[in-house]
C-alpha cells in the first residue's frame, strides 16, 4: 500500500485519512506556482510522517506497468494527469515545468518509466522518494543530453540564427516569447512592444489552412480576404500589411506574395506597430505591424503524423509530418512536411488545388548551429479572389450579397508557384558572443485570368474589363551580424550589430479585353469566357535594392527589472522602373533614411512589466507625376512614427497586455489649387488594445482581445477631408475564444469563438460605409488511443449562423465574408 496525493477510499491509514479530510491535497495543475510548491512539499512531509509502515511495503513491491493514453498539452497538465492515473505523489518547484510542453504519453509504462518518458528532453528528472513518491529536479549539467533543446533564462542572449524559440505558454495556444527582429528571442515580459506568438498547436487545433486563418484570433488584426480566397492581406492597427511583407525566419522576400500554407510553420509571430529598427524596411512599406513565420524543427521525440482533412463542399486533403534527430547526441535534425488539397469550397463554382512541401534541416553543435529550409507551393484558386470597388462617393453601399453566391465568373483563376530556400548559421565566438548569418531566396511565378469589378450603382450592378496577367518575381536576401553580452559596473549590455540586403526583380505582362462585361452581385449572370491571348515573354518592369545597417543595445540593471533598448538603422533604398515594351528605364529612386528607436521596460514587481517605446516605420517615397508642376521630383522615404505605452501582467498561467498607441503615417497628393505634388498628407491612428491568453482554470483556456482605434485623416488634399475617419479602420474589434475540457469524457475538448468588427468607412469623404458584423464559430476535438496509435479528431463550424456580411473595406475596396463552413480532420501518429 502506498500514500499518494490523490485521495482514494481506503488508501490511507486513519490518521492520514483524517488529515486528508480536513485539508484535501489538490491536483498539481490546480494551484498557483507558489502554493503548488509549498503544499506539495509540506503535504508530502506530513503524509509521509503518518505512513511509515505502508512505505516499507511499497519499497518492497515493484509497481506494475499499465496502459496510458494521455494527449499532448502543457507539461504541468500532462504530469498532473499521469500522477492521477498512476496513483503517485509528485512534488517539485512550479518553475521547473513553467511554459514547457509535452507530446503526451501512449503505451504501457511503470510510474518510473512514464515519468522518464514525459521528462525526456526537458532537462528534468524524477527522483524516487519514500512511499513511492517522486520529486522533480533538474538534471545535473553533465547529464544534459547534447543536442537537446534547453530553455534559457530570458536575459540570456539566444542568437538570431538557429536559436530555439521560447516555449509555449500555459494553454499551448501562444508562446511565452519570440523573435523581436535583430534583438533575437525574448520573453514576452521582457519585450517592450505588443506581441503575440501563435503556436503550431493552435494552427492544428483550429485547422488553419492559411495565415489569415491564424490571425482571425487577433483583435488588433483583421483579414481583408476570407478563408479560401487564395490571398492573405491584413489590417493591423488600421494600416494594410501585405502578405509579401511577412518575413520567414527573420527574412523578407521568402514568403509567397499571395498566401502562405502553414504546413511547415511552428510559430506565427505578430508584433503590432512599426518595426524599422527591428526588421528593416518591409519591401512594400507596411507600417501597422510585422509578422514573422518560424519554421518547424525536429524534436527529440520521433514524429510520424498523418492528417486527413475535409472542407465542405467537398475539398479533401492529406498532410504528412515527419521528424527525426540523428547522431550520437542527436545533433542532426530533419523535419519534412507534405500537403495536397483539392476540391470545391462552399462558395458557388469556386475551388482550390494546393500542393506544398517543406523540408527543414538543422545541426546543433557545441559551438556551431546551422539550419536550412526548402519550401515549395503550387496553388490554383478558381473564382474566389479580388476586390469589389464601390461606386463614386455618395452612392450608398448596399447589403452584402449571399456569401454562397459568387459574382466572380467560374473561368477566373489565380495560379501561383513558389520555390524558396534559406540557410542560417550561428557560431559562438566566445562566452556570450555569437556571430550569425543567413541567406535566402525565392522564385515566384503567377498567372491569372481575372476581373476587377466596379459597382455602378446602389442596386448591385457591376462592370469589369477581364484581363490576363502573368508575373514573375525573384528575390535574394540576407543578413549578418554579431551580438553579445558584457557588463560595465551595474549595467549589463547586450549589443547587436546587423547588416542586411534585399534584392527583388519583378516582371509583368498584361493582356486586357476590348469589351466590358456586366453582372449583378445579387443575381450574378452566367458570362461567357472572353477570348484573350496568353501573354508571351514576361518583360522586366521593376527592381528594388534595400540595404541597411543597424546598431542597438539593451541595457539592463537591477537583475533585469529595468531594461532600456536604444538603437538606429540606416536604410538605403534603390529602385528602378522599366517600360514593358522598350525595356528602357522610366524611373529611378535612390534615397536613404535613419530610423531610430528607444524602448523602456520596468518591472516593479516580478509579475508586472511596464513598457514604453518610440519606433519608426519606413516606406519608399513617391515621385511627382507628370501632371504636377514639380513632375519628376523624388521625395525622401516616408517615415511613420509610433509612440506606445503598455503594461503586461503574468498571473502564472494566464497573462494580459494593455497598451495605448499613436501612429502617424505620411501620405501624398496633388494639391488642386497649386497643381503641386506634395507629401504633406497625414493619417493618425490612436488606439487602446487589450490581449489575454492562457489557462483560467485547469480545464479552461482563453484567447481574447479587444481594440479601440480612432483613425483620423489629419491632413488631406485641399484640407477637404481633414478630420474624417480613415477608411477601413473599425473603431471597435473584439475577439473571444475559449476551450473547455469537460470532465465527463477524457480527451474531449469543446471550443468556441466570437469575432466582432464595428462599421468601416469605405471612402475618404466618409460618404460610404459598411455595417458592423459578428461571427460565431463552434468546434470540438477528441484525442484517444486506438491500437497504440494516438488519434485526434477535430471538427469546426465557422460562421455558425451563416451570416452574410461585408468583411473589409481595405484599400477602398470591398470583400465578402465566407459562408458557414464545416471543417473536419483526423490526425494519427504512428
Amino acid at each position: 500500500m502506498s500514500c499518494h496525493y490523490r485521495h482514494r477510499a481506503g488508501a490511507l491509514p486513519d490518521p492520514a485519512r483524517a488529515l486528508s479530510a480536513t485539508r484535501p491535497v489538490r491536483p498539481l495543475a490546480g494551484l498557483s506556482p507558489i502554493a503548488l510548491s509549498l503544499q506539495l512539499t509540506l503535504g508530502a512531509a506530513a503524509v509521509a510522517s503518518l505512513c511509515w509502515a505502508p512505505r516499507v511495503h511499497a519499497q518492497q513491491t515493484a509497481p506494475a506497468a499499465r496502459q496510458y493514453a494521455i494527449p499532448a498539452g502543457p507539461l504541468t497538465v500532462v504530469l498532473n494527469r499521469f500522477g492521477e492515473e498512476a496513483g503517485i505523489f509528485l512534488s517539485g518547484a512550479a518553475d521547473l515545468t513553467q511554459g514547457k510542453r509535452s507530446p503526451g504519453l501512449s503505451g504501457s509504462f511503470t510510474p518510473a518509466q512514464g515519468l522518464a518518458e514525459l521528462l525526456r528532453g526537458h532537462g528534468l528528472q524524477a527522483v524516487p522518494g519514500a512511499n513511492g513518491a517522486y520529486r522533480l529536479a533538474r538534471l545535473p549539467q553533465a547529464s544534459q543530453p547534447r543536442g537537446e533543446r534547453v530553455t534559457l533564462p530570458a536575459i540570456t542572449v539566444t542568437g538570431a540564427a538557429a536559436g530555439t524559440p521560447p516555449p509555449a505558454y500555459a494553454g499551448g495556444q501562444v508562446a511565452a516569447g519570440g523573435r523581436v527582429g535583430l534583438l533575437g528571442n525574448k520573453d514576452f515580459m521582457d519585450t517592450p512592444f505588443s506581441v503575440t506568438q501563435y503556436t503550431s498547436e493552435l494552427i492544428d487545433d483550429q485547422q488553419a489552412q492559411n495565415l489569415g486563418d491564424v490571425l482571425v484570433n487577433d483583435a488588433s488584426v483583421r483579414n481583408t480576404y476570407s478563408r479560401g480566397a487564395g490571398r492573405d492581406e491584413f489590417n493591423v492597427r488600421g494600416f494594410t500589411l501585405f502578405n509579401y511583407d511577412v518575413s520567414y525566419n527573420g527574412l523578407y522576400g521568402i514568403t509567397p506574395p499571395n498566401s502562405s500554407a502553414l504546413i511547415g510553420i511552428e510559430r506565427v509571430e505578430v508584433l503590432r506597430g512599426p518595426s524599422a529598427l527591428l526588421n528593416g524596411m518591409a519591401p512594400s512599406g507596411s507600417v501597422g505591424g510585422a509578422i514573422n513565420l518560424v519554421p518547424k524543427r525536429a524534436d527529440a521525440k520521433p514524429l510520424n503524423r498523418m492528417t486527413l482533412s475535409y472542407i465542405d463542399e467537398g475539398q479533401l486533403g492529406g498532410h504528412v509530418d515527419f521528424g527525426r534527430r540523428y547522431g550520437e547526441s542527436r545533433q542532426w535534425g530533419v523535419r519534412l512536411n507534405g500537403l495536397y488539397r483539392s476540391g470545391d469550397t462552399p462558395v458557388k463554382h469556386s475551388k482550390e488545388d494546393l500542393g506544398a512541401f517543406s523540408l527543414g534541416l538543422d545541426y546543433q553543435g557545441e559551438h556551431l548551429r546551422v539550419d536550412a529550409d526548402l519550401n515549395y507551393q503550387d496553388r490554383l484558386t478558381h473564382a474566389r479572389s479580388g476586390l469589389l470597388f464601390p461606386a463614386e462617393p455618395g452612392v450608398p453601399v448596399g447589403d452584402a450579397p449571399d456569401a454562397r453566391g459568387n459574382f466572380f465568373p467560374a473561368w477566373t483563376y489565380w495560379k501561383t508557384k513558389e520555390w524558396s530556400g534559406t540557410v542560417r548559421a550561428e557560431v559562438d565566438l566566445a562566452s556570450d558572443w555569437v556571430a550569425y548569418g543567413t541567406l535566402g531566396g525565392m522564385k515566384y511565378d503567377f498567372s491569372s485570368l481575372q476581373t476587377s469589378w466596379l459597382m455602378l450603382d446602389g442596386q448591385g450592378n457591376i462592370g469589369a474589363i477581364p484581363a490576363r496577367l502573368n508575373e514573375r518575381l525573384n528575390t535574394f536576401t540576407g543578413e549578418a551580424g554579431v551580438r553579445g553580452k558584457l557588463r560595465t559596473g551595474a549595467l549589463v549590455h547586450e549589443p547587436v550589430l546587423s547588416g542586411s540586403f534585399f534584392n527583388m526583380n519583378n516582371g509583368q505582362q498584361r493582356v486586357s479585353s476590348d469589351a466590358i462585361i456586366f453582372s449583378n452581385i445579387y443575381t450574378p449572370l452566367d458570362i461567357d469566357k472572353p477570348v484573350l491571348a496568353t501573354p508571351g515573354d514576361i518583360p522586366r518592369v521593376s527592381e528594388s535594392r534595400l540595404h541597411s545597417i543597424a546598431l542597438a543595445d539593451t541595457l539592463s540593471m537591477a537583475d533585469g527589472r529595468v531594461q532600456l533598448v536604444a538603437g538606429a538603422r540606416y536604410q538605403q533604398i534603390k529602385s528602378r522602373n522599366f517600360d514593358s515594351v522598350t525595356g528602357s528605364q522610366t524611373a529611378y529612386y535612390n534615397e536613404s533614411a535613419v530610423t531610430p528607436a528607444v524602448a523602456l521596460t520596468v518591472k516593479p514587481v516580478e509579475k508586472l512589466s511596464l513598457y514604453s517605446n518610440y519606433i519608426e516605420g519606413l516606406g519608399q517615397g513617391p515621385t511627382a507625376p507628370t501632371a504636377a508642376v514639380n513632375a519628376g521630383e523624388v521625395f525622401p522615404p516616408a517615415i511613420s512614427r509610433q509612440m506606445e505605452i503598455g503594461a503586461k501582467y503574468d498571473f502564472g498561467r494566464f497573462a494580459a497586455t494593455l497598451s495605448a498607441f499613436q501612429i502617424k503615417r505620411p501620405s501624398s497628393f496633388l494639391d488642386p489649387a497649386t497643381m503641386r505634388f506634395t507629401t504633406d498628407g497625414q493619417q493618425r491612428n490612436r488606439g487602446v488594445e487589450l490581449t489575454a491568453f492562457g489557462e483560467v482554470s485547469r480545464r479552461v483556456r482563453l484567447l481574447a482581445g479587444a481594440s479601440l482605434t480612432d483613425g483620423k485623416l489629419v491632413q488631406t488634399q485641399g484640407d477637404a477631408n481633414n478630420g474624417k475617419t480613415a477608411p477601413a479602420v473599425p473603431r471597435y474589434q473584439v475577439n473571444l475564444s475559449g476551450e473547455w475540457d469537460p470532465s465527463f469524457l477524457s480527451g474531449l475538448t469543446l471550443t468556441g469563438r466570437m469575432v466582432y468588427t464595428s462599421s468601416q468607412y469605405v471612402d475618404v469623404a466618409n460618404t460610404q460605409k459598411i455595417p458592423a458584423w459578428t461571427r460565431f464559430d463552434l468546434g470540438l476535438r477528441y484525442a484517444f488511443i486506438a491500437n497504440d496509435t494516438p488519434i485526434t479528431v477535430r471538427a469546426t463550424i465557422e460562421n455558425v449562423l451563416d451570416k452574410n456580411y461585408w468583411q473589409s473595406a481595405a484599400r477602398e475596396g470591398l470583400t465578402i465574408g465566407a459562408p458557414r463552413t464545416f471543417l473536419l480532420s483526423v490526425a494519427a501518429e504512428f
Side-chain angles (χ1 to χ4, degrees), residues 618-666:
L618 196 63
Q620 180 175 320
T623 300
T626 55
V629 296
N630 58 334
E633 180 180 353
V634 176
F635 288 84
I639 298 177
S640 301
R641 296 174 171 86
Q642 172 182 276
M643 294 184 293
E644 180 181 13
I645 58 173
K648 303 178 182 182
Y649 196 86
D650 187 353
F651 295 88
R653 305 196 64 79
F654 189 78
T657 299
L658 178 66
S659 59
F661 67 89
Q662 174 180 278
I663 302 175
K664 292 182 178 180
R665 186 188 69 174

Side-chain angles (χ1 to χ4, degrees), residues 168-286:
Y169 190 78
Q173 296 179 314
V174 303
R179 181 186 173 94
V180 190
L182 83 166
L183 301 181
N185 289 325
K186 297 180 73 69
D187 185 271
F188 81 100
M189 292 291 285
D190 292 320
T191 303
F193 305 96
S194 178
V195 294
T196 303
Q197 298 86 12
Y198 298 98
T199 65
S200 59
E201 182 174 338
L202 177 139
I203 294 172
D204 292 339
D205 287 343
Q206 297 190 0
Q207 302 182 74
Q209 307 291 336
N210 302 307
L211 185 54
D213 303 333
V214 176
L215 298 182
V216 72
N217 295 285
D218 200 308
S220 300
V221 182
R222 282 297 179 261
N223 302 330
T224 299
Y225 298 95
S226 62
R227 177 189 281 273
R231 299 179 66 182
D232 284 330
E233 182 182 302
F234 314 101
N235 187 289
V236 187
R237 287 189 168 177
F239 296 106
T240 296
L241 191 156
F242 299 98
N243 198 70
Y244 36 84
D245 279 349
V246 172
S247 60
Y248 180 90
N249 212 10
L251 287 179
Y252 287 125
I254 305 300
T255 58
N258 290 308
S259 186
S260 300
L262 299 174
I263 58 169
I265 300 303
E266 180 68 27
R267 299 276 169 84
V268 175
E269 301 177 332
V270 179
L271 184 149
R272 303 169 186 91
S275 61
L277 168 68
L278 304 174
N279 301 305
M281 173 182 154
S284 66
S286 299

Side-chain angles (χ1 to χ4, degrees), residues 75-76 91-98 100 122 124 135-138:
L75 181 58
T76 302
S91 65
D95 62 345
L96 295 176
T97 59
Q98 180 69 35
K100 291 183 169 63
H122 292 296
L124 301 174
R135 175 179 56 85
L136 289 183
R138 300 188 191 278

Side-chain angles (χ1 to χ4, degrees), residues 604-628:
V605 295
E606 180 183 0
K607 295 180 177 296
L608 176 64
S609 178
L610 306 176
Y611 74 91
S612 63
N613 65 64
Y614 170 82
I615 192 167
E616 297 181 347
L618 196 63
Q620 180 175 320
T623 300
T626 55

Side-chain angles (χ1 to χ4, degrees), residues 482-537:
V482 60
R483 66 160 53 87
K485 181 179 177 182
L486 54 90
R487 182 180 295 273
T488 58
L491 293 179
V492 176
H493 296 262
E494 296 179 67
V496 56
L497 175 65
S498 168
S500 67
F501 72 90
F502 172 86
N503 297 339
M504 179 176 69
N505 295 315
N506 180 227
Q508 288 186 5
Q509 182 70 276
R510 181 185 297 270
V511 177
S512 298
S513 173
D514 295 329
I516 302 176
I517 59 174
F518 297 93
S519 188
N520 188 282
I521 62 174
Y522 304 114
T523 56
L525 301 179
D526 187 9
I527 303 171
D528 292 335
K529 180 179 179 179
V531 178
L532 288 174
T534 302
D537 294 337

Side-chain angles (χ1 to χ4, degrees), residues 374-393:
L374 178 65
N375 298 287
Y376 172 77
Q377 183 172 299
D378 189 345
R379 185 190 299 265
L380 174 61
T381 305
H382 291 272
R384 198 66 184 92
S385 300
L387 295 174
L388 171 62
F389 294 98
E392 61 185 15

Side-chain angles (χ1 to χ4, degrees), residues 2-7 12 25-26 28 36-48 79 82-84 86-92 111 115 126-136:
S2 63
C3 293
H4 50 81
Y5 73 91
R6 189 180 182 195
H7 174 65
L12 298 176
V25 183
R26 299 168 61 189
L28 183 65
L36 172 67
S37 300
L38 289 176
Q39 183 161 322
L40 290 183
T41 303
L42 296 177
V47 175
L79 286 173
F82 177 78
E84 288 181 339
I88 61 171
F89 190 100
L90 181 63
S91 65
L115 288 172
V127 180
N131 194 35
Y134 291 86
R135 175 179 56 85
L136 289 183

